[in-house]
Amino acid sequence: MAYVHRAEGAPDRTAPPSGDGENVLRFRRAGAERKDVPSPIDLAQLIEGEIIPRLLAAHQNGRSEVIPMNLGVIASDELAAFARDAMVADLARLVDQVEFLMRRGVSVEGIYFELLSPAAKLLGEWWERDDCTFADVTVGLCRLQQLVYEFADRVHVEDGGGDGRTALFALTPGDQHSFGLIMVVEYFRQAGWRTICMPDATAQDLEALVQAERFDLIGFSMANERWLEPLTPLIARLRAVSRNGAVRVMVGGRAFSDHPERVVQVGADQTATDAREAVKTAARLFASQHSAA
């Protein structure tokens, strides 16, 4: 959502030129010698047009909302409030909250990795502590996934290395935590990969697919280590039946971020801590494969 004001003394919220930082609120006053310093008029209009309506809305909702002084950072209380809202608010209200954070200086990557991913983790923790129901968590995660798609076209991915390669992504059969997988798939798509995502696939489904279609990369996400043992023979079987004899396999998720030695244990090639790192790791993986060839 863009806000452009051309009147004398009004804030110009147009996006800065490329390389100058995305979604950063800038103040420009025509004829002013110090363009980087907001005038009293600018500040008054910001308070009147942005901050007061938010405070009034928060008051009407029966809660107080404190805007932190460090405007480019998402505070822990904001994160918790957003996670709670994800379970009860509609998508439009959540989009408005994200847009507000971006106008405050939070980048799209900051939204993904400092808001949406931690919010999903919080929902899982609350569920494990019986602080919310399975239905609440399901609704919340669905809303967070919708937000990933809503802002996907604003993501800027460097060193993608896709070049039209095809990647198959799946949850480890039995696992149910798909939010991280959705993030990974979206980042690979933005990096130029052709992606196929099968979060509900069985081992038999995956075998049939890699026999029917050629994939350069297979990626698994696993949050719960209880599914670790079945993953090892599954990866071996997929390599054996794959139409691509040189197919690469990456694994990710909490089960591997806490124990990276498990990558070798299950027979995978690489792991990554998040979607950004996964894209870069895959690019390096195929660059080394090309050099060896």
Side-chain angles (χ1 to χ4, degrees):
M1 185 182 301
Y3 292 82
V4 181
H5 300 273
R6 299 302 184 190
E8 173 70 18
D12 179 359
R13 296 181 178 85
T14 55
S18 177
D20 192 31
E22 194 175 21
N23 299 309
V24 178
L25 185 63
R26 308 272 185 201
F27 292 94
R28 297 185 180 91
R29 182 175 174 82
E33 295 180 1
R34 293 290 304 281
K35 294 184 179 181
D36 58 330
V37 178
S39 71
I41 295 178
D42 293 330
L43 291 175
Q45 290 179 336
L46 176 63
I47 292 170
E48 180 181 359
E50 303 283 356
I51 297 176
I52 290 177
R54 294 281 297 181
L55 292 175
L56 288 174
H59 179 72
Q60 291 169 356
N61 291 335
R63 69 182 187 190
S64 62
E65 181 175 346
V66 178
I67 300 174
M69 293 301 293
N70 194 346
L71 298 181
V73 174
I74 299 172
S76 59
D77 56 341
E78 286 184 299
L79 172 61
F82 183 83
R84 287 192 294 269
D85 282 348
M87 295 186 287
V88 297
D90 59 24
L91 181 62
R93 178 176 167 186
L94 295 173
V95 168
D96 286 343
Q97 292 185 36
V98 171
E99 292 277 10
F100 172 73
L101 290 171
M102 293 173 67
R103 292 197 301 273
R104 215 177 67 190
V106 180
S107 67
V108 179
E109 284 205 342
I111 294 298
Y112 274 23
F113 296 103
E114 297 171 26
L115 180 70
L116 302 186
S117 287
K121 183 178 179 181
L122 266 181
L123 292 179
E125 292 174 355
W126 291 342
W127 179 33
E128 291 173 357
R129 299 199 308 254
D130 289 328
D131 291 338
C132 57
T133 68
F134 177 77
D136 291 333
V137 171
T138 300
V139 171
L141 291 176
C142 179
R143 290 285 186 263
L144 296 180
Q145 290 181 13
Q146 289 175 302
L147 289 170
V148 170
Y149 297 134
E150 185 75 21
F151 294 93
D153 290 338
R154 307 189 196 186
V155 172
H156 175 64
V157 180
E158 297 180 355
D159 301 323
D163 300 327
R165 293 188 178 95
T166 301
L168 169 64
F169 294 99
L171 288 178
T172 302
D175 209 327
Q176 297 180 338
H177 301 322
S178 63
F179 180 77
L181 184 68
I182 297 298
M183 293 270 287
V184 169
V185 171
E186 197 55 45
Y187 260 70
F188 270 81
R189 185 184 70 82
Q190 292 286 344
W193 289 75
R194 177 175 173 262
T195 60
I196 295 179
C197 182
M198 299 184 67
D200 300 322
T202 65
Q204 292 73 23
D205 293 334
L206 296 173
E207 286 185 32
L209 187 56
V210 300
Q211 284 179 304
E213 186 170 346
R214 186 186 188 280
F215 292 95
D216 298 285
L217 176 70
I218 300 174
F220 284 102
S221 176
M222 181 168 61
N224 194 324
E225 63 183 26
R226 65 181 292 194
W227 308 111
L228 190 65
E229 186 175 346
L231 182 59
T232 303
L234 175 57
I235 289 178
R237 178 62 179 165
L238 293 180
R239 288 189 189 275
V241 302
S242 173
R243 291 186 63 180
N244 177 10
V247 66
R248 298 292 188 174
V249 179
M250 289 184 62
V251 291
R254 188 171 59 190
F256 295 100
S257 61
D258 294 342
H259 298 277
E261 71 278 3
R262 289 172 173 168
V263 178
V264 175
Q265 178 183 337
V266 300
D269 296 298
Q270 286 288 350
T271 186
T273 56
D274 59 34
R276 293 170 296 188
E277 185 60 31
V279 169
K280 295 177 181 178
T281 300
R284 292 192 296 267
L285 192 62
F286 282 91
S288 62
Q289 182 184 50
H290 181 73
S291 300

